[in-house]
Amino acid sequence: MESNLKFMEQLKEVFYAAKNIPKEELLFTYNGVIYPTSTCDVDTFKAIETFEAREEDLMLVAYPKCGSNWTSLLLFSLLRAAYNKEPSPNFPVLEFKVPNKFEKLKIEPSPRFLGTHLKYDNIPQSFFDKKVKMLVVFRNPKDTAVSLFHFYNNNPVLPAYNSWDEFFSDFMAGKVVWGSYFDHAVAWNKHLDDDTILLTIFEDMKEDLEGSIKKISEFYGISITEEQLKQIAEQGTFKSMKENSGKTHGDYGKIIFRKGEVGDWKNYFSQAQSQEMDAKFDECLAGTKLGEKLKYNVHCKW
């Protein structure tokens, strides 16, 4: 597909540019949060502030490595089935810098599919004024941390870590791209009862993908048949996405689709690290709706 080819061309350009950037310049800080230099810049963040959302927009929000790429491909499948609409050849992530992206988005027909890794407070006000429906995806923090660790070490646009212990320390301190997982979780937890927000959990998708897709389609008002639902679920497993990632994402597919397993954290966390994150989870999310939905005691205990 032309959109996929364009997408892969853009990724190659980003990777090539990253090779010429000194390690110490691969990241920059904006408003106290770390971002990758190759994919984000200050001009884009300033442009986001005045971005005009539409009521018909479909918004996907996820902290990095919580399942955003998997979920976005499922949404593309829903759009194809319902509207015969191909995804835009532009990066759908709001904060990614792409030449003339916002000018192109202005003329793109609805429904536009947009995504972001931004925290609630940093999303443009127009999305809330227009009551845009937002699909918010979270994953248990321990598997998220392990996945982000590998993302750093396999991705040329990010500086590699010498050890898991070093990365864990930065993750807990929020000194990683897009900031603290727990800051994101606390901010979104306050709004999970809003009519315009649907929470989707990575582990629930692994357990019942068909049921998760049905909830997403109903939330967005996307009408599909039972046959289409079953087909999207069969072709949309993480395993299937990973096997086809070369076609959808080129070489980048190997970077973003790694294992997609629940419980891989046990291969990395020490007992002390596990207890440290348990304490952080209790401090931030114990007794909350998001904390309950994450089933932390099921997925994150020894």
Side-chain angles (χ1 to χ4, degrees), residues 153-212:
N153 282 359
N154 295 331
N155 192 340
V157 309
L158 297 174
Y161 275 85
N162 293 321
S163 69
W164 157 253
D165 290 347
E166 181 186 352
F167 175 82
F168 177 80
S169 178
D170 279 355
F171 183 86
M172 293 303 294
K175 296 179 180 179
V176 291
V177 286
W178 280 274
S180 165
Y181 169 100
F182 291 100
D183 285 354
H184 278 251
V186 168
W188 281 107
N189 180 70
K190 296 175 183 177
H191 301 278
L192 294 183
D193 290 326
D194 295 359
D195 293 338
T196 55
I197 290 176
L198 175 67
L199 173 67
T200 296
I201 303 298
F202 181 96
E203 290 78 11
D204 291 346
M205 290 171 61
K206 291 282 292 185
E207 186 175 323
D208 181 14
L209 183 58
E210 189 172 317
S212 296

Side-chain angles (χ1 to χ4, degrees), residues 52 71 93 107 109 115 121 127 137 156 173 219 228 230 245 266 302:
E52 286 297 322
T71 313
V93 181
I107 61 175
D121 299 336
F127 281 87
V137 183
F219 171 69
Q228 287 174 320
K230 290 183 180 300
S245 63
K266 293 180 181 179
W302 287 102

Side-chain angles (χ1 to χ4, degrees), residues 68-139:
S68 54
N69 287 289
W70 182 18
T71 313
S72 67
L73 288 175
L74 293 174
L75 280 171
F76 289 159
S77 295
L78 284 170
L79 290 174
R80 290 191 192 100
Y83 305 110
N84 194 29
K85 178 183 174 68
E86 288 297 326
S88 168
N90 304 310
F91 279 93
V93 181
L94 278 181
E95 60 270 28
F96 282 7
K97 58 180 181 182
V98 177
N100 304 314
K101 178 177 69 175
F102 294 108
E103 288 79 1
K104 293 175 181 176
L105 283 172
K106 283 182 181 178
I107 61 175
E108 185 175 326
S110 295
R112 298 180 302 186
F113 169 55
L114 303 167
T116 186
H117 294 310
L118 294 175
K119 195 170 68 172
Y120 180 93
D121 299 336
N122 295 330
I123 290 176
Q125 183 60 38
S126 65
F127 281 87
F128 304 109
D129 294 341
K130 295 292 177 67
K131 299 186 182 302
V132 173
K133 289 187 175 181
M134 300 184 190
L135 176 64
V136 179
V137 183
F138 269 98
R139 181 184 192 182

